[in-house]
Amino acid sequence: MQPLFLYNTLTRKKEEFKAINPPYVGMYVCGPTVYSDVHLGNCRTFISFDLVYRYLLHCGYKVRYVRNITDAGHLEGDGDVGEDKISKRAKLQQLEPMEIVQAYTVDFREVMRQFNNLPPSIEPTATGHIIEQQEIAETIIKNGYAYESNGTIYFDVEKFAKEHNYTALTGRKLEDLLEGTRDLDGQDEKRGRLDFALWIKAKPEHLMQWRSAWGQGFPGWHIECSAMSTKYLGAHFDIHGGGMDLAPTHHTNEIAQNLAYCGKQPANYWMHTNMLTVNGQKMSKSLGNSFLPRELFSGIHHLLTKGYNPMVVRFFMLQTHYRSTLDFSNDALNAAETAFDRLHDAYKTLRTLKASDKSTEDIAALQKACYDAMNDDLNTSVMMAQLFDAARIINSTNDGKSSLTRADIDLLHVIFQNFLVDICGVKFEEDNGEAATVLHNVVDVLLDMRAKAKADKNFQLSDELRNKLVAAGVKIKDGKEGSTWTI
Ligand code: AMP
Ligand code: ZN
């Protein structure tokens, strides 16, 4: 097998992927905060990591993929300010916080299913790991990197930064970070401007709170990922991922916590997906520019001209490399739909291609180019260009302008199945199981009857069969060697 290179945010280089304990791979991805519907930006990140998961599986690894559900501790300000997002929503809707969590978790899983994302191996929740989070906070205090202040536990960033590279993940200068943070005003409980909470003292009206050695409180946002990744993947595992927006704070703090807790940087490879943007701006709920998957599928949104199949949207996302920004627009989606149909048509035509003794094309080289692209940091954009080349070859063979042997046609089947269906996770509706095979056979039977009617000079029957098949949505192409068809 050829080596797989992945871009590692931590070293800012593409590095050959070497599993710690092959064939096993541990991968942790930061999951959604289940206080509202997931928007398409969130979906891009989860689709990108589904691609990573699928490709590792395709390469023969046995992957334990852990993606958490954040159901407590994520405050409105992404730091230590504001209300807990879930508690706030529960108060507004006069519901139990766990009703909010349940409703949005169910919705999230349904959206992931619609996008054909494989379910992770483990989907742990922050509220299910309160004890583990408290234990980590306790150990960090014991190790001297955290302190209690009025029932809240803060991580001492300045102390940590004297011994470790706190900004290793982003390469930013600590002084620049300090400059961007407001001065403490004497009212603050924390000692340093960059200190962040591991455990937060709860006010009596706070809905989700737990008993601890430091009084009633709830966990900080970053510590849940340290607790759940360590519990299920160990102190040092293979891949940690999330959206690029998580690197400067959430992941930077997670690395600091793990080092302070057990002396280990948690993951060998840190992978970050770039943002889905709208007119160049990050798609985000708080900016009010977010689209929900169901709005896109139904087309019910004032900025959309129509609805799109979830597979077209998935294809649209994967046509761009995961580390590039992707701008969302009607035009871009329409272009993706046309391209998707072109590949789909070619894939269907492939089934009816007639083999020749000689080939004019190098399909093995095309397959190699697909692997080369995927092994180059999962470059789906370049890989898909190869699939379009395959589509061109299929169409030109169908038109009699080039020729393929049976082995080439079979290899093209393998290429489409591997790269488009298994690795990119694109599902074609009529390829679902037996129904597609039956449909295929029925059209062949009708076309045989039509050919027989023609041979018997029963043109009335042959025309009738043709017209009825066309009306039913079957495109028929008559050639010297017989008829081919697509839907
Ligand atoms: P959240 O529910 O806000 O914690 O986000 C869940 C995941 O979606 C995180 O990995 C974020 O980095 C990611 N994310 C949020 N907005 C976008 C966006 N516009 N494009 C891509 N990923 C995003
Ligand atoms: Zn996380």
Side-chain angles (χ1 to χ4, degrees):
M1 179 154 4
Q2 290 168 314
L4 163 63
F5 283 82
L6 296 175
Y7 182 85
N8 190 347
T9 316
L10 195 59
T11 56
R12 282 168 274 289
K13 279 197 294 241
K14 278 186 205 169
E15 290 172 356
E16 185 178 339
F17 177 69
K18 291 216 163 82
I20 296 169
N21 183 23
Y24 302 99
V25 170
M27 175 162 91
Y28 186 91
V29 172
C30 292
T33 306
V34 282
Y35 76 107
S36 68
D37 296 299
V38 278
H39 60 67
L40 274 179
N42 305 132
C43 294
R44 180 183 189 201
T45 288
F46 300 129
I47 289 172
S48 299
F49 283 99
D50 185 57
L51 174 84
V52 180
Y53 183 36
R54 283 169 178 273
Y55 193 58
L56 291 170
L57 292 175
H58 178 81
C59 293
Y61 291 108
K62 297 189 184 319
V63 187
R64 180 178 293 169
Y65 173 19
V66 183
R67 187 183 63 207
N68 68 297
I69 296 274
T70 298
D71 58 354
H74 194 169
L75 304 188
E76 288 169 288
D78 274 3
D80 304 329
V81 289
E83 240 186 289
D84 178 292
K85 293 183 182 193
I86 289 156
S87 284
K88 183 174 177 186
R89 180 56 67 104
K91 275 187 211 157
L92 275 173
Q93 299 193 359
Q94 297 191 318
L95 292 170
E96 273 294 318
M98 280 298 137
E99 282 183 282
I100 299 291
V101 165
Q102 176 70 7
Y104 290 111
T105 303
V106 168
D107 175 75
F108 170 67
R109 292 200 178 124
E110 173 57 14
V111 171
M112 293 298 101
R113 192 195 60 75
Q114 285 170 312
F115 276 125
N116 201 26
N117 277 353
L118 298 173
S121 329
I122 307 179
E123 219 173 12
T125 61
T127 56
H129 297 79
I130 299 293
I131 306 273
E132 288 84 348
Q133 296 176 77
Q134 291 181 350
E135 278 170 4
I136 291 181
E138 254 167 46
T139 308
I140 297 178
I141 297 174
K142 265 194 217 127
N143 292 348
Y145 293 101
Y147 55 90
E148 184 194 344
S149 178
N150 189 27
T152 292
I153 309 298
Y154 287 103
F155 189 92
D156 190 340
V157 173
E158 281 168 47
K159 169 158 188 214
F160 176 84
K162 286 198 185 106
E163 296 155 28
H164 299 89
N165 181 4
Y166 173 65
T167 51
L169 198 56
T170 55
R172 288 187 189 169
K173 286 198 181 126
L174 198 62
E175 305 85 73
D176 295 346
L177 276 192
L178 280 164
E179 241 168 57
T181 329
R182 71 173 176 85
D183 280 332
L184 299 180
D185 58 9
Q187 303 288 307
D188 286 273
E189 290 168 345
K190 50 184 173 184
R191 295 179 196 155
R193 278 187 278 173
L194 295 175
D195 295 358
F196 60 90
L198 302 178
W199 181 263
I200 301 166
K201 179 182 177 166
K203 294 195 179 109
E205 66 273 18
H206 190 89
L207 290 180
M208 302 166 88
Q209 45 180 288
W210 290 265
R211 205 178 325 142
S212 78
W214 319 288
Q216 286 293 117
F218 59 96
W221 174 32
H222 319 303
I223 201 164
E224 64 169 279
C225 290
S226 290
M228 292 186 269
S229 64
T230 312
K231 174 157 180 171
Y232 298 110
L233 299 173
H236 190 65
F237 51 92
D238 296 288
I239 298 175
H240 194 310
M244 221 169 230
D245 56 334
L246 298 186
T249 311
H250 184 56
H251 289 162
T252 290
N253 290 345
E254 199 183 320
I255 292 176
Q257 286 167 169
N258 282 49
L259 280 165
Y261 167 57
C262 64
K264 285 194 177 150
Q265 195 282 109
N268 263 349
Y269 302 85
W270 282 83
M271 294 181 72
H272 291 96
T273 51
N274 213 325
M275 296 290 104
L276 182 67
T277 56
V278 186
N279 296 323
Q281 243 193 346
K282 174 187 165 185
M283 184 181 283
S284 125
K285 194 125 200 140
S286 53
L287 292 172
N289 64 354
S290 61
F291 285 78
L292 300 181
R294 67 167 168 274
E295 291 169 337
L296 203 60
F297 304 156
S298 66
I300 303 173
H301 188 288
H302 67 287
L303 292 175
L304 293 174
T305 48
K306 61 179 202 159
Y308 297 89
N309 180 315
M311 287 304 108
V312 169
V313 183
R314 184 177 175 103
F315 179 78
F316 160 72
M317 301 224 193
L318 291 177
Q319 259 190 308
T320 299
H321 186 233
Y322 75 92
R323 280 195 297 116
S324 305
T325 53
L326 170 61
D327 206 49
F328 175 86
S329 69
N330 254 309
D331 286 349
L333 274 169
N334 284 335
E337 190 174 57
T338 307
F340 178 84
D341 288 345
R342 186 146 30 103
L343 279 189
H344 192 187
D345 286 345
Y347 194 24
K348 284 183 285 188
T349 304
L350 184 58
R351 290 193 193 128
T352 60
L353 275 194
K354 298 243 163 22
S356 305
D357 295 340
K358 284 211 176 82
S359 182
T360 54
E361 310 293 331
D362 190 349
I363 306 302
L366 196 144
Q367 184 190 36
K368 181 176 179 305
C370 287
Y371 277 113
D372 287 348
M374 288 305 291
N375 288 331
D376 181 15
D377 194 28
L378 310 175
N379 199 329
T380 46
S381 174
V382 171
M383 185 269 280
M384 286 208 187
Q386 296 301 324
L387 294 184
F388 285 112
D389 207 33
R392 180 192 57 74
I393 293 170
I394 291 167
N395 293 334
S396 100
T397 306
N398 198 37
D399 292 343
K401 292 181 192 139
S402 36
S403 59
L404 294 169
T405 60
R406 173 49 48 202
D408 281 338
I409 294 174
D410 290 347
L411 187 54
L412 278 169
H413 269 289
V414 170
I415 291 171
F416 270 81
Q417 180 65 38
N418 281 347
F419 289 95
L420 201 57
V421 179
D422 296 344
I423 295 170
C424 285
V426 168
K427 204 167 57 176
F428 295 120
E429 269 153 27
E430 72 272 29
D431 287 341
N432 280 344
E434 277 174 38
T437 314
V438 172
L439 172 74
H440 191 269
N441 293 342
V442 169
V443 176
D444 279 348
V445 167
L446 290 167
L447 282 179
D448 282 350
M449 283 171 70
R450 176 174 166 253
K452 190 163 179 305
K454 251 190 191 173
D456 294 346
K457 301 212 168 6
N458 185 348
F459 296 114
Q460 195 190 344
L461 178 61
S462 77
D463 285 350
E464 194 181 331
L465 280 168
R466 173 178 230 290
N467 294 343
K468 285 195 169 159
L469 279 166
V470 169
V474 181
K475 248 191 237 169
I476 301 170
K477 206 167 183 182
D478 293 323
K480 274 189 229 141
E481 313 231 321
S483 305
T484 58
W485 62 272
T486 53
I487 287 178

